[in-house]
Amino acid sequence: MGQNARAPERGQPHIVIIGGGFGGLQAARALRGAPAAVTVVDRNNYHLFQPLLYQVATAGLSPAEIAEPIRTILRRQRNTQVVMSEVTGIDPAERTITMGTDRLSYDFLVVATGACHSYFGRDEWERFAPGLKTVRDATHIRRSILVAFERAEVEIDSEERKALLTFVIVGGGPTGVEIAGAIAELARKALAADFRRIDPTSARILLVEAGPHLVAGFPGSLPDDAKRALERLDVEVHVGERVEDVDGEGVVVAGRRISARTVIWAAGVAASPAGRWLGAATDRAGRVAVLPDLSVPGHPNVFVIGDTASMSQDGRRLPGVAPVAMQQGRYVGRLLLDRLAGRPDRAPFRYRDKGSLATVGRAFAIAAFGRVRLRGLVAWVAWLVVHIYYLIGFENRMLVFLQWAWAYLTYRRGARLIVYDSDGTPTTPRLSSEATVASTTGRTRPEPPPAPARGPAPAP
């Protein structure tokens, strides 16, 4: 790539945007037609619609249905190029970013690098409790869930079979609630008639939240509504109980050992290393403390937005959600347009909260739009419309709509493939040690447990 990925025209400012997520993409779109060269740098070649990532993790959608190539999204912006590379450092004094051995200079920099999982100082738990931030995370979790049922089908030991059919979700925010509800419906409906020796409906799903309420950011009785909806799906909800340990055998919650072979982390996030790269002041989660115009103190040409930024409004820190990142991205893009045109800087950034939504299984959601609070089917329809609307690309919207319509009518999940790991390690289920010994020594293998009594398969 050399010193510059793209040499701007003489005298033309160069704006570099790190990150092709919600914030970075909105900033780039706002700069369409700007008298500047714009470079978007991302380690992936696609924009991911993260709010629907849990649907990939629970076999409801495939990754291609919630992602779109960044080049495709920005293909009509002639002043914009896309570079697929991982940023490893920023030198604000030299006005350069580092990508491995390459350096890229900038006149203005927008940092929208997002967040990663936070295990509150227990990073060793990540091995046993993956979080959900990337496509790789989602496909890994999906594989773990589906393999657990496959392994349980051939497992002889009853205790091991019970552990395989136990799923623990740590964290009762919107992501945790949505994952718990989706796994419950996957087990109770989509897989109910697919197995012969196990009863998928007997799967145990636990949602553990250290705080006193689920989805604590929702007002009024909506958190209790979400809890009751999960309990109707037979999800065990544990609020006010902290996870004390996670290992390959399960979790310890409030002093109790719970044997589980699938643990999913939805309890916390930490910002990217951007604050450390910039040498800027950060909060405990690593978010950069920004000025009212979202610039970094001491560096008026560097802006930090989205999950990487820490900013308060009306005495409360802005949440790390997609609408905040999108509004911040548009604001910074327009602010840069004003500066390039020689116009005075616009008023400080102010977030307009348009509402919050979370879905709990099939046809139930909670929603808060200012003083308007919705629950049940009407909230689920609102959730569906909002998510379809914000998907990038008409084709993706149609695919997701058709997938959801099909799943709603039939309870079927279309993305239930178990694939190989990236290193080639097969993820097919393994027999228990007793069954393996029996098959290799020629002894008669014990009969699998009989198929449990079960009613008719659920009607479409």
Side-chain angles (χ1 to χ4, degrees), residues 17-53:
I17 300 171
I18 307 176
F22 287 108
L25 201 59
Q26 290 298 322
R29 284 177 147 181
L31 290 165
R32 180 179 182 178
V38 180
T39 300
V40 178
V41 183
D42 197 292
R43 61 184 176 185
N44 299 309
N45 75 329
Y46 55 84
H47 167 77
L48 176 66
F49 193 78
Q50 280 193 342
L52 291 181
L53 204 53

PDB file of all heavy atoms in Angstrom, residues 17-53:
ATOM      1  N   ILE A  17     -11.655   7.583   7.986  1.00  0.00           N
ATOM      2  CA  ILE A  17     -12.652   7.054   8.920  1.00  0.00           C
ATOM      3  C   ILE A  17     -12.255   5.627   9.267  1.00  0.00           C
ATOM      4  O   ILE A  17     -12.160   4.778   8.384  1.00  0.00           O
ATOM      5  CB  ILE A  17     -14.063   7.075   8.297  1.00  0.00           C
ATOM      6  CG1 ILE A  17     -14.456   8.503   7.926  1.00  0.00           C
ATOM      7  CG2 ILE A  17     -15.087   6.461   9.263  1.00  0.00           C
ATOM      8  CD1 ILE A  17     -15.738   8.586   7.104  1.00  0.00           C
ATOM      9  N   ILE A  18     -12.002   5.375  10.545  1.00  0.00           N
ATOM     10  CA  ILE A  18     -11.628   4.026  10.982  1.00  0.00           C
ATOM     11  C   ILE A  18     -12.884   3.332  11.488  1.00  0.00           C
ATOM     12  O   ILE A  18     -13.466   3.722  12.498  1.00  0.00           O
ATOM     13  CB  ILE A  18     -10.572   4.059  12.103  1.00  0.00           C
ATOM     14  CG1 ILE A  18      -9.365   4.911  11.687  1.00  0.00           C
ATOM     15  CG2 ILE A  18     -10.118   2.647  12.450  1.00  0.00           C
ATOM     16  CD1 ILE A  18      -8.325   5.049  12.796  1.00  0.00           C
ATOM     17  N   GLY A  19     -13.329   2.314  10.776  1.00  0.00           N
ATOM     18  CA  GLY A  19     -14.503   1.559  11.186  1.00  0.00           C
ATOM     19  C   GLY A  19     -15.657   1.746  10.229  1.00  0.00           C
ATOM     20  O   GLY A  19     -16.063   2.884   9.941  1.00  0.00           O
ATOM     21  N   GLY A  20     -16.195   0.636   9.731  1.00  0.00           N
ATOM     22  CA  GLY A  20     -17.327   0.681   8.822  1.00  0.00           C
ATOM     23  C   GLY A  20     -18.616   0.241   9.464  1.00  0.00           C
ATOM     24  O   GLY A  20     -19.503  -0.303   8.796  1.00  0.00           O
ATOM     25  N   GLY A  21     -18.727   0.484  10.780  1.00  0.00           N
ATOM     26  CA  GLY A  21     -19.955   0.167  11.487  1.00  0.00           C
ATOM     27  C   GLY A  21     -20.981   1.273  11.320  1.00  0.00           C
ATOM     28  O   GLY A  21     -20.921   2.085  10.388  1.00  0.00           O
ATOM     29  N   PHE A  22     -21.940   1.336  12.250  1.00  0.00           N
ATOM     30  CA  PHE A  22     -23.019   2.313  12.127  1.00  0.00           C
ATOM     31  C   PHE A  22     -22.501   3.749  12.094  1.00  0.00           C
ATOM     32  O   PHE A  22     -22.886   4.541  11.238  1.00  0.00           O
ATOM     33  CB  PHE A  22     -24.006   2.150  13.290  1.00  0.00           C
ATOM     34  CG  PHE A  22     -24.870   0.928  13.184  1.00  0.00           C
ATOM     35  CD1 PHE A  22     -24.668  -0.157  14.016  1.00  0.00           C
ATOM     36  CD2 PHE A  22     -25.877   0.857  12.238  1.00  0.00           C
ATOM     37  CE1 PHE A  22     -25.461  -1.289  13.917  1.00  0.00           C
ATOM     38  CE2 PHE A  22     -26.676  -0.269  12.121  1.00  0.00           C
ATOM     39  CZ  PHE A  22     -26.465  -1.347  12.967  1.00  0.00           C
ATOM     40  N   GLY A  23     -21.610   4.096  13.021  1.00  0.00           N
ATOM     41  CA  GLY A  23     -21.119   5.465  13.084  1.00  0.00           C
ATOM     42  C   GLY A  23     -20.239   5.826  11.912  1.00  0.00           C
ATOM     43  O   GLY A  23     -20.421   6.873  11.274  1.00  0.00           O
ATOM     44  N   GLY A  24     -19.263   4.977  11.619  1.00  0.00           N
ATOM     45  CA  GLY A  24     -18.350   5.263  10.524  1.00  0.00           C
ATOM     46  C   GLY A  24     -19.050   5.357   9.187  1.00  0.00           C
ATOM     47  O   GLY A  24     -18.749   6.232   8.365  1.00  0.00           O
ATOM     48  N   LEU A  25     -20.018   4.480   8.965  1.00  0.00           N
ATOM     49  CA  LEU A  25     -20.732   4.479   7.693  1.00  0.00           C
ATOM     50  C   LEU A  25     -21.578   5.744   7.535  1.00  0.00           C
ATOM     51  O   LEU A  25     -21.636   6.334   6.445  1.00  0.00           O
ATOM     52  CB  LEU A  25     -21.615   3.239   7.610  1.00  0.00           C
ATOM     53  CG  LEU A  25     -22.046   2.795   6.210  1.00  0.00           C
ATOM     54  CD1 LEU A  25     -20.836   2.509   5.340  1.00  0.00           C
ATOM     55  CD2 LEU A  25     -22.939   1.574   6.302  1.00  0.00           C
ATOM     56  N   GLN A  26     -22.221   6.180   8.612  1.00  0.00           N
ATOM     57  CA  GLN A  26     -23.018   7.409   8.524  1.00  0.00           C
ATOM     58  C   GLN A  26     -22.133   8.623   8.290  1.00  0.00           C
ATOM     59  O   GLN A  26     -22.521   9.544   7.553  1.00  0.00           O
ATOM     60  CB  GLN A  26     -23.848   7.587   9.793  1.00  0.00           C
ATOM     61  CG  GLN A  26     -24.981   6.588   9.936  1.00  0.00           C
ATOM     62  CD  GLN A  26     -26.001   6.704   8.826  1.00  0.00           C
ATOM     63  OE1 GLN A  26     -26.316   7.801   8.379  1.00  0.00           O
ATOM     64  NE2 GLN A  26     -26.527   5.577   8.381  1.00  0.00           N
ATOM     65  N   ALA A  27     -20.951   8.642   8.908  1.00  0.00           N
ATOM     66  CA  ALA A  27     -20.022   9.747   8.668  1.00  0.00           C
ATOM     67  C   ALA A  27     -19.598   9.770   7.203  1.00  0.00           C
ATOM     68  O   ALA A  27     -19.553  10.828   6.570  1.00  0.00           O
ATOM     69  CB  ALA A  27     -18.811   9.613   9.582  1.00  0.00           C
ATOM     70  N   ALA A  28     -19.282   8.598   6.649  1.00  0.00           N
ATOM     71  CA  ALA A  28     -18.866   8.523   5.249  1.00  0.00           C
ATOM     72  C   ALA A  28     -19.989   8.974   4.321  1.00  0.00           C
ATOM     73  O   ALA A  28     -19.754   9.715   3.355  1.00  0.00           O
ATOM     74  CB  ALA A  28     -18.431   7.099   4.915  1.00  0.00           C
ATOM     75  N   ARG A  29     -21.204   8.538   4.594  1.00  0.00           N
ATOM     76  CA  ARG A  29     -22.328   8.922   3.737  1.00  0.00           C
ATOM     77  C   ARG A  29     -22.588  10.425   3.787  1.00  0.00           C
ATOM     78  O   ARG A  29     -22.957  11.037   2.779  1.00  0.00           O
ATOM     79  CB  ARG A  29     -23.582   8.163   4.173  1.00  0.00           C
ATOM     80  CG  ARG A  29     -23.594   6.707   3.729  1.00  0.00           C
ATOM     81  CD  ARG A  29     -24.813   6.006   4.261  1.00  0.00           C
ATOM     82  NE  ARG A  29     -25.299   4.986   3.346  1.00  0.00           N
ATOM     83  CZ  ARG A  29     -26.367   4.232   3.570  1.00  0.00           C
ATOM     84  NH1 ARG A  29     -27.069   4.398   4.664  1.00  0.00           N
ATOM     85  NH2 ARG A  29     -26.738   3.316   2.688  1.00  0.00           N
ATOM     86  N   ALA A  30     -22.413  11.027   4.966  1.00  0.00           N
ATOM     87  CA  ALA A  30     -22.624  12.471   5.087  1.00  0.00           C
ATOM     88  C   ALA A  30     -21.596  13.255   4.279  1.00  0.00           C
ATOM     89  O   ALA A  30     -21.835  14.416   3.926  1.00  0.00           O
ATOM     90  CB  ALA A  30     -22.574  12.887   6.553  1.00  0.00           C
ATOM     91  N   LEU A  31     -20.451  12.633   3.968  1.00  0.00           N
ATOM     92  CA  LEU A  31     -19.374  13.315   3.252  1.00  0.00           C
ATOM     93  C   LEU A  31     -19.443  13.074   1.742  1.00  0.00           C
ATOM     94  O   LEU A  31     -18.503  13.398   1.019  1.00  0.00           O
ATOM     95  CB  LEU A  31     -18.024  12.856   3.798  1.00  0.00           C
ATOM     96  CG  LEU A  31     -17.705  13.349   5.216  1.00  0.00           C
ATOM     97  CD1 LEU A  31     -16.556  12.561   5.824  1.00  0.00           C
ATOM     98  CD2 LEU A  31     -17.381  14.841   5.202  1.00  0.00           C
ATOM     99  N   ARG A  32     -20.530  12.497   1.276  1.00  0.00           N
ATOM    100  CA  ARG A  32     -20.688  12.285  -0.159  1.00  0.00           C
ATOM    101  C   ARG A  32     -20.656  13.630  -0.891  1.00  0.00           C
ATOM    102  O   ARG A  32     -21.372  14.568  -0.559  1.00  0.00           O
ATOM    103  CB  ARG A  32     -22.020  11.577  -0.435  1.00  0.00           C
ATOM    104  CG  ARG A  32     -22.271  11.304  -1.908  1.00  0.00           C
ATOM    105  CD  ARG A  32     -23.584  10.584  -2.094  1.00  0.00           C
ATOM    106  NE  ARG A  32     -23.817  10.276  -3.504  1.00  0.00           N
ATOM    107  CZ  ARG A  32     -24.878   9.617  -3.962  1.00  0.00           C
ATOM    108  NH1 ARG A  32     -25.812   9.195  -3.110  1.00  0.00           N
ATOM    109  NH2 ARG A  32     -25.013   9.377  -5.251  1.00  0.00           N
ATOM    110  N   GLY A  33     -19.782  13.725  -1.858  1.00  0.00           N
ATOM    111  CA  GLY A  33     -19.657  14.955  -2.622  1.00  0.00           C
ATOM    112  C   GLY A  33     -18.822  16.024  -1.951  1.00  0.00           C
ATOM    113  O   GLY A  33     -18.690  17.132  -2.497  1.00  0.00           O
ATOM    114  N   ALA A  34     -18.248  15.728  -0.789  1.00  0.00           N
ATOM    115  CA  ALA A  34     -17.432  16.728  -0.096  1.00  0.00           C
ATOM    116  C   ALA A  34     -16.155  17.011  -0.894  1.00  0.00           C
ATOM    117  O   ALA A  34     -15.623  16.119  -1.567  1.00  0.00           O
ATOM    118  CB  ALA A  34     -17.064  16.228   1.301  1.00  0.00           C
ATOM    119  N   PRO A  35     -15.633  18.230  -0.817  1.00  0.00           N
ATOM    120  CA  PRO A  35     -14.381  18.553  -1.509  1.00  0.00           C
ATOM    121  C   PRO A  35     -13.185  17.996  -0.747  1.00  0.00           C
ATOM    122  O   PRO A  35     -12.299  18.727  -0.281  1.00  0.00           O
ATOM    123  CB  PRO A  35     -14.390  20.085  -1.519  1.00  0.00           C
ATOM    124  CG  PRO A  35     -15.148  20.456  -0.284  1.00  0.00           C
ATOM    125  CD  PRO A  35     -16.212  19.414  -0.137  1.00  0.00           C
ATOM    126  N   ALA A  36     -13.157  16.693  -0.603  1.00  0.00           N
ATOM    127  CA  ALA A  36     -12.105  16.021   0.145  1.00  0.00           C
ATOM    128  C   ALA A  36     -12.014  14.577  -0.323  1.00  0.00           C
ATOM    129  O   ALA A  36     -12.960  14.028  -0.892  1.00  0.00           O
ATOM    130  CB  ALA A  36     -12.400  16.074   1.651  1.00  0.00           C
ATOM    131  N   ALA A  37     -10.865  13.966  -0.095  1.00  0.00           N
ATOM    132  CA  ALA A  37     -10.706  12.534  -0.316  1.00  0.00           C
ATOM    133  C   ALA A  37     -11.051  11.816   0.991  1.00  0.00           C
ATOM    134  O   ALA A  37     -10.538  12.165   2.054  1.00  0.00           O
ATOM    135  CB  ALA A  37      -9.275  12.215  -0.726  1.00  0.00           C
ATOM    136  N   VAL A  38     -11.934  10.855   0.899  1.00  0.00           N
ATOM    137  CA  VAL A  38     -12.397  10.131   2.091  1.00  0.00           C
ATOM    138  C   VAL A  38     -11.934   8.682   1.974  1.00  0.00           C
ATOM    139  O   VAL A  38     -12.130   8.039   0.936  1.00  0.00           O
ATOM    140  CB  VAL A  38     -13.931  10.182   2.219  1.00  0.00           C
ATOM    141  CG1 VAL A  38     -14.394   9.426   3.463  1.00  0.00           C
ATOM    142  CG2 VAL A  38     -14.414  11.635   2.267  1.00  0.00           C
ATOM    143  N   THR A  39     -11.311   8.173   3.040  1.00  0.00           N
ATOM    144  CA  THR A  39     -10.882   6.783   3.086  1.00  0.00           C
ATOM    145  C   THR A  39     -11.515   6.102   4.287  1.00  0.00           C
ATOM    146  O   THR A  39     -11.368   6.578   5.423  1.00  0.00           O
ATOM    147  CB  THR A  39      -9.344   6.661   3.191  1.00  0.00           C
ATOM    148  OG1 THR A  39      -8.750   7.276   2.047  1.00  0.00           O
ATOM    149  CG2 THR A  39      -8.923   5.201   3.251  1.00  0.00           C
ATOM    150  N   VAL A  40     -12.242   5.007   4.044  1.00  0.00           N
ATOM    151  CA  VAL A  40     -12.838   4.204   5.112  1.00  0.00           C
ATOM    152  C   VAL A  40     -11.978   2.963   5.299  1.00  0.00           C
ATOM    153  O   VAL A  40     -11.757   2.204   4.347  1.00  0.00           O
ATOM    154  CB  VAL A  40     -14.289   3.799   4.775  1.00  0.00           C
ATOM    155  CG1 VAL A  40     -14.870   2.923   5.882  1.00  0.00           C
ATOM    156  CG2 VAL A  40     -15.154   5.038   4.569  1.00  0.00           C
ATOM    157  N   VAL A  41     -11.484   2.764   6.510  1.00  0.00           N
ATOM    158  CA  VAL A  41     -10.613   1.628   6.817  1.00  0.00           C
ATOM    159  C   VAL A  41     -11.345   0.699   7.767  1.00  0.00           C
ATOM    160  O   VAL A  41     -11.840   1.127   8.820  1.00  0.00           O
ATOM    161  CB  VAL A  41      -9.281   2.084   7.452  1.00  0.00           C
ATOM    162  CG1 VAL A  41      -8.356   0.885   7.693  1.00  0.00           C
ATOM    163  CG2 VAL A  41      -8.586   3.117   6.576  1.00  0.00           C
ATOM    164  N   ASP A  42     -11.440  -0.581   7.414  1.00  0.00           N
ATOM    165  CA  ASP A  42     -12.067  -1.566   8.281  1.00  0.00           C
ATOM    166  C   ASP A  42     -11.372  -2.905   8.071  1.00  0.00           C
ATOM    167  O   ASP A  42     -10.954  -3.218   6.951  1.00  0.00           O
ATOM    168  CB  ASP A  42     -13.563  -1.697   7.979  1.00  0.00           C
ATOM    169  CG  ASP A  42     -14.327  -2.385   9.112  1.00  0.00           C
ATOM    170  OD1 ASP A  42     -14.105  -3.599   9.323  1.00  0.00           O
ATOM    171  OD2 ASP A  42     -15.124  -1.714   9.775  1.00  0.00           O
ATOM    172  N   ARG A  43     -11.260  -3.691   9.129  1.00  0.00           N
ATOM    173  CA  ARG A  43     -10.600  -4.989   8.992  1.00  0.00           C
ATOM    174  C   ARG A  43     -11.483  -6.008   8.279  1.00  0.00           C
ATOM    175  O   ARG A  43     -10.996  -7.038   7.829  1.00  0.00           O
ATOM    176  CB  ARG A  43     -10.194  -5.530  10.358  1.00  0.00           C
ATOM    177  CG  ARG A  43     -11.347  -5.769  11.326  1.00  0.00           C
ATOM    178  CD  ARG A  43     -10.817  -6.207  12.665  1.00  0.00           C
ATOM    179  NE  ARG A  43     -11.866  -6.354  13.652  1.00  0.00           N
ATOM    180  CZ  ARG A  43     -11.641  -6.646  14.934  1.00  0.00           C
ATOM    181  NH1 ARG A  43     -10.409  -6.819  15.367  1.00  0.00           N
ATOM    182  NH2 ARG A  43     -12.649  -6.753  15.781  1.00  0.00           N
ATOM    183  N   ASN A  44     -12.777  -5.713   8.188  1.00  0.00           N
ATOM    184  CA  ASN A  44     -13.695  -6.537   7.405  1.00  0.00           C
ATOM    185  C   ASN A  44     -14.120  -5.774   6.159  1.00  0.00           C
ATOM    186  O   ASN A  44     -14.050  -4.548   6.125  1.00  0.00           O
ATOM    187  CB  ASN A  44     -14.937  -6.903   8.226  1.00  0.00           C
ATOM    188  CG  ASN A  44     -14.588  -7.708   9.461  1.00  0.00           C
ATOM    189  OD1 ASN A  44     -13.875  -8.704   9.392  1.00  0.00           O
ATOM    190  ND2 ASN A  44     -15.091  -7.270  10.615  1.00  0.00           N
ATOM    191  N   ASN A  45     -14.584  -6.506   5.153  1.00  0.00           N
ATOM    192  CA  ASN A  45     -15.019  -5.824   3.942  1.00  0.00           C
ATOM    193  C   ASN A  45     -16.520  -5.573   3.927  1.00  0.00           C
ATOM    194  O   ASN A  45     -17.066  -5.200   2.900  1.00  0.00           O
ATOM    195  CB  ASN A  45     -14.623  -6.641   2.700  1.00  0.00           C
ATOM    196  CG  ASN A  45     -15.508  -7.867   2.502  1.00  0.00           C
ATOM    197  OD1 ASN A  45     -16.001  -8.442   3.478  1.00  0.00           O
ATOM    198  ND2 ASN A  45     -15.715  -8.259   1.263  1.00  0.00           N
ATOM    199  N   TYR A  46     -17.177  -5.757   5.074  1.00  0.00           N
ATOM    200  CA  TYR A  46     -18.627  -5.629   5.113  1.00  0.00           C
ATOM    201  C   TYR A  46     -19.078  -4.812   6.313  1.00  0.00           C
ATOM    202  O   TYR A  46     -18.391  -4.708   7.331  1.00  0.00           O
ATOM    203  CB  TYR A  46     -19.292  -7.009   5.175  1.00  0.00           C
ATOM    204  CG  TYR A  46     -18.802  -7.869   6.326  1.00  0.00           C
ATOM    205  CD1 TYR A  46     -19.354  -7.747   7.611  1.00  0.00           C
ATOM    206  CD2 TYR A  46     -17.791  -8.801   6.144  1.00  0.00           C
ATOM    207  CE1 TYR A  46     -18.893  -8.518   8.661  1.00  0.00           C
ATOM    208  CE2 TYR A  46     -17.333  -9.577   7.190  1.00  0.00           C
ATOM    209  CZ  TYR A  46     -17.884  -9.431   8.447  1.00  0.00           C
ATOM    210  OH  TYR A  46     -17.422 -10.195   9.498  1.00  0.00           O
ATOM    211  N   HIS A  47     -20.252  -4.214   6.157  1.00  0.00           N
ATOM    212  CA  HIS A  47     -20.953  -3.569   7.268  1.00  0.00           C
ATOM    213  C   HIS A  47     -21.910  -4.592   7.865  1.00  0.00           C
ATOM    214  O   HIS A  47     -22.675  -5.233   7.144  1.00  0.00           O
ATOM    215  CB  HIS A  47     -21.729  -2.353   6.781  1.00  0.00           C
ATOM    216  CG  HIS A  47     -22.716  -1.825   7.773  1.00  0.00           C
ATOM    217  ND1 HIS A  47     -22.344  -1.075   8.866  1.00  0.00           N
ATOM    218  CD2 HIS A  47     -24.067  -1.959   7.845  1.00  0.00           C
ATOM    219  CE1 HIS A  47     -23.430  -0.762   9.563  1.00  0.00           C
ATOM    220  NE2 HIS A  47     -24.486  -1.287   8.964  1.00  0.00           N
ATOM    221  N   LEU A  48     -21.870  -4.743   9.175  1.00  0.00           N
ATOM    222  CA  LEU A  48     -22.680  -5.747   9.869  1.00  0.00           C
ATOM    223  C   LEU A  48     -23.791  -5.067  10.650  1.00  0.00           C
ATOM    224  O   LEU A  48     -23.557  -4.114  11.398  1.00  0.00           O
ATOM    225  CB  LEU A  48     -21.795  -6.549  10.823  1.00  0.00           C
ATOM    226  CG  LEU A  48     -22.482  -7.585  11.708  1.00  0.00           C
ATOM    227  CD1 LEU A  48     -23.059  -8.711  10.859  1.00  0.00           C
ATOM    228  CD2 LEU A  48     -21.498  -8.146  12.732  1.00  0.00           C
ATOM    229  N   PHE A  49     -25.015  -5.561  10.474  1.00  0.00           N
ATOM    230  CA  PHE A  49     -26.151  -5.050  11.232  1.00  0.00           C
ATOM    231  C   PHE A  49     -26.213  -5.817  12.560  1.00  0.00           C
ATOM    232  O   PHE A  49     -26.892  -6.830  12.692  1.00  0.00           O
ATOM    233  CB  PHE A  49     -27.442  -5.239  10.433  1.00  0.00           C
ATOM    234  CG  PHE A  49     -28.612  -4.484  10.989  1.00  0.00           C
ATOM    235  CD1 PHE A  49     -28.748  -3.126  10.772  1.00  0.00           C
ATOM    236  CD2 PHE A  49     -29.579  -5.131  11.742  1.00  0.00           C
ATOM    237  CE1 PHE A  49     -29.830  -2.420  11.290  1.00  0.00           C
ATOM    238  CE2 PHE A  49     -30.664  -4.439  12.262  1.00  0.00           C
ATOM    239  CZ  PHE A  49     -30.783  -3.080  12.037  1.00  0.00           C
ATOM    240  N   GLN A  50     -25.474  -5.309  13.540  1.00  0.00           N
ATOM    241  CA  GLN A  50     -25.279  -6.041  14.797  1.00  0.00           C
ATOM    242  C   GLN A  50     -26.561  -6.340  15.575  1.00  0.00           C
ATOM    243  O   GLN A  50     -26.641  -7.371  16.246  1.00  0.00           O
ATOM    244  CB  GLN A  50     -24.295  -5.295  15.702  1.00  0.00           C
ATOM    245  CG  GLN A  50     -22.852  -5.516  15.312  1.00  0.00           C
ATOM    246  CD  GLN A  50     -21.900  -5.049  16.393  1.00  0.00           C
ATOM    247  OE1 GLN A  50     -22.267  -4.270  17.276  1.00  0.00           O
ATOM    248  NE2 GLN A  50     -20.668  -5.486  16.324  1.00  0.00           N
ATOM    249  N   PRO A  51     -27.592  -5.484  15.553  1.00  0.00           N
ATOM    250  CA  PRO A  51     -28.792  -5.813  16.331  1.00  0.00           C
ATOM    251  C   PRO A  51     -29.436  -7.135  15.967  1.00  0.00           C
ATOM    252  O   PRO A  51     -30.188  -7.698  16.769  1.00  0.00           O
ATOM    253  CB  PRO A  51     -29.729  -4.631  16.029  1.00  0.00           C
ATOM    254  CG  PRO A  51     -28.818  -3.492  15.735  1.00  0.00           C
ATOM    255  CD  PRO A  51     -27.667  -4.108  15.007  1.00  0.00           C
ATOM    256  N   LEU A  52     -29.175  -7.653  14.770  1.00  0.00           N
ATOM    257  CA  LEU A  52     -29.753  -8.936  14.381  1.00  0.00           C
ATOM    258  C   LEU A  52     -28.741 -10.078  14.448  1.00  0.00           C
ATOM    259  O   LEU A  52     -29.018 -11.183  13.988  1.00  0.00           O
ATOM    260  CB  LEU A  52     -30.339  -8.850  12.970  1.00  0.00           C
ATOM    261  CG  LEU A  52     -31.583  -7.982  12.821  1.00  0.00           C
ATOM    262  CD1 LEU A  52     -32.078  -8.003  11.382  1.00  0.00           C
ATOM    263  CD2 LEU A  52     -32.683  -8.434  13.768  1.00  0.00           C
ATOM    264  N   LEU A  53     -27.591  -9.834  15.050  1.00  0.00           N
ATOM    265  CA  LEU A  53     -26.567 -10.871  15.118  1.00  0.00           C
ATOM    266  C   LEU A  53     -27.045 -12.068  15.932  1.00  0.00           C
ATOM    267  O   LEU A  53     -26.663 -13.217  15.659  1.00  0.00           O
ATOM    268  CB  LEU A  53     -25.288 -10.280  15.729  1.00  0.00           C
ATOM    269  CG  LEU A  53     -23.967 -10.958  15.402  1.00  0.00           C
ATOM    270  CD1 LEU A  53     -23.779 -11.109  13.902  1.00  0.00           C
ATOM    271  CD2 LEU A  53     -22.820 -10.167  16.005  1.00  0.00           C
TER     272      LEU A  53
END
